[in-house]
Amino acid sequence: MIQDGTDEEVAETGICAMENFYRSIEMPTNLNELGIHPTDAQIEDMAKRCMIAAGTRTGSAKIMTQEDAIRIYQNSRG
């Protein structure tokens, strides 16, 4: 199904739909629900390790940097 709106609005709609599905099957949707509460320093280390494992920069639709990974981990706290 194609949604009208900006790329950000369409992405947000997709994320909400995915989270609703995960909740329907009792699957965690964020780090807090997994019982994980990383500090900012731990998040920076996780992002650094992610970039090392992925070859420094990764992505196909958008190149992801370490700063992007940090924001993703910060937003996944719940």
Side-chain angles (χ1 to χ4, degrees), residues 12-27:
E12 186 65 33
T13 298
I15 291 167
C16 287
M18 184 181 298
E19 285 179 346
N20 289 336
F21 169 71
Y22 288 159
R23 285 189 178 97
S24 77
I25 60 172
E26 299 181 12
M27 184 174 168

Side-chain angles (χ1 to χ4, degrees), residues 23-65:
R23 285 189 178 97
S24 77
I25 60 172
E26 299 181 12
M27 184 174 168
T29 62
N30 61 54
L31 295 175
N32 284 336
E33 290 176 8
L34 284 170
I36 300 170
H37 310 283
T39 64
D40 287 339
Q42 289 170 319
I43 283 178
E44 288 184 29
D45 186 53
M46 290 163 50
K48 178 182 174 184
R49 291 171 184 259
C50 176
M51 292 293 100
I52 290 169
T56 307
R57 288 174 57 120
T58 187
S60 57
K62 178 189 182 302
I63 300 299
M64 189 172 89
T65 65

Side-chain angles (χ1 to χ4, degrees), residues 1-20:
M1 175 163 93
I2 297 176
Q3 297 286 325
D4 292 327
T6 66
D7 288 348
E8 187 173 313
E9 291 167 339
V10 172
E12 186 65 33
T13 298
I15 291 167
C16 287
M18 184 181 298
E19 285 179 346
N20 289 336

